[in-house]
Amino acid sequence: HLVRILRQRSGAGRIVLDIGGGVGVIHHELLKAGFERAVHVDRSQAYIDVARREASLIGHADRVRFIHGDFRAVADSLEPADVVTLDRVVCCDADYATLLPLAAERARQVLAMTFPRDRWLVRWFVSLSNVWRRARGGAFRVYVHSPTAMAALLKRLGLQRVLTDATFVWNIEVWERAR
């Protein structure tokens, strides 16, 4: 859904920074749609390995820079990009208040993100899944942050929301640098 929205936005940019890029779906699709280059940051080496293989298979190997590590740890080494994506990333982080400013600083034009909707059913499911993970000894948690608080933060950082969409579970938001 996020890819479709970014593809439809004409003039979105030449370079995408895909934070928490996973297997690379977002940046591979944007490269196919005309973006020139991508930077893929992920703390999972396994995801990077899959994304790198896919880049080779579809001819994007020379257009993607892969960075293994936590975004916070590598952010200062990253150049700004025209478009910064956080697809299902904010919900994997307990501290959006330090994550979003780092991402926004690197967004020359657009910051696009998806995150869980703040609804009782979504919160219930997330709580249940976190209990399950904890019972199995896993450290990973999912968070449902306040969309209002995140929006206020992004506005203070000089961005303005230009698009909001949603599925039953996910909010999709596109923010642009205020002119």
Side-chain angles (χ1 to χ4, degrees):
H1 201 70
L2 184 62
V3 170
R4 181 180 51 77
I5 289 168
L6 289 173
R7 262 199 233 128
Q8 290 171 348
R9 298 190 65 75
S10 61
R14 299 180 342 249
I15 302 167
V16 60
L17 169 58
D18 195 3
I19 299 169
V23 298
V25 171
I26 298 282
H27 67 265
H28 288 315
E29 290 299 318
L30 292 177
L31 289 169
K32 288 177 191 174
F35 277 66
E36 291 176 17
R37 293 184 293 123
V39 177
H40 173 133
V41 178
D42 205 296
R43 66 175 97 180
S44 167
Q45 186 62 53
Y47 280 150
I48 288 177
D49 292 344
V50 170
R52 185 171 288 159
R53 278 193 301 274
E54 184 67 14
S56 291
L57 287 172
I58 60 178
H60 292 165
D62 61 337
R63 297 169 62 196
V64 183
R65 178 178 167 212
F66 294 96
I67 299 173
H68 176 237
D70 183 280
F71 173 67
R72 281 186 185 82
V74 301
D76 287 340
S77 69
L78 301 173
E79 294 293 319
D82 300 305
V83 175
V84 173
T85 61
L86 295 148
D87 186 30
R88 300 179 185 189
V89 171
V90 177
C91 58
C92 300
D93 199 303
D95 186 13
Y96 73 86
T98 61
L99 175 68
L100 289 180
L102 289 172
E105 285 173 12
R106 275 133 198 94
R108 274 196 291 260
Q109 297 172 9
V110 173
L111 179 115
M113 62 183 191
T114 61
F115 54 91
R117 294 183 72 182
D118 191 8
R119 309 170 85 172
W120 74 267
L121 188 58
V122 173
R123 284 189 171 279
W124 176 81
F125 181 76
V126 164
S127 295
L128 189 63
S129 67
N130 284 339
V131 166
W132 175 253
R133 285 186 193 93
R134 189 174 301 118
R136 299 196 62 193
F140 178 75
R141 300 290 181 268
V142 176
Y143 304 89
V144 180
H145 300 297
S146 165
T148 304
M150 289 190 293
L153 175 60
L154 290 172
K155 286 177 185 174
R156 283 194 307 274
L157 295 168
L159 297 170
Q160 58 190 8
R161 187 172 32 219
V162 294
L163 187 139
T164 302
D165 200 355
T167 66
F168 183 75
V169 176
W170 298 99
N171 278 319
I172 300 116
E173 293 188 354
V174 176
W175 293 76
E176 288 185 354
R177 186 78 38 217
R179 297 176 197 213

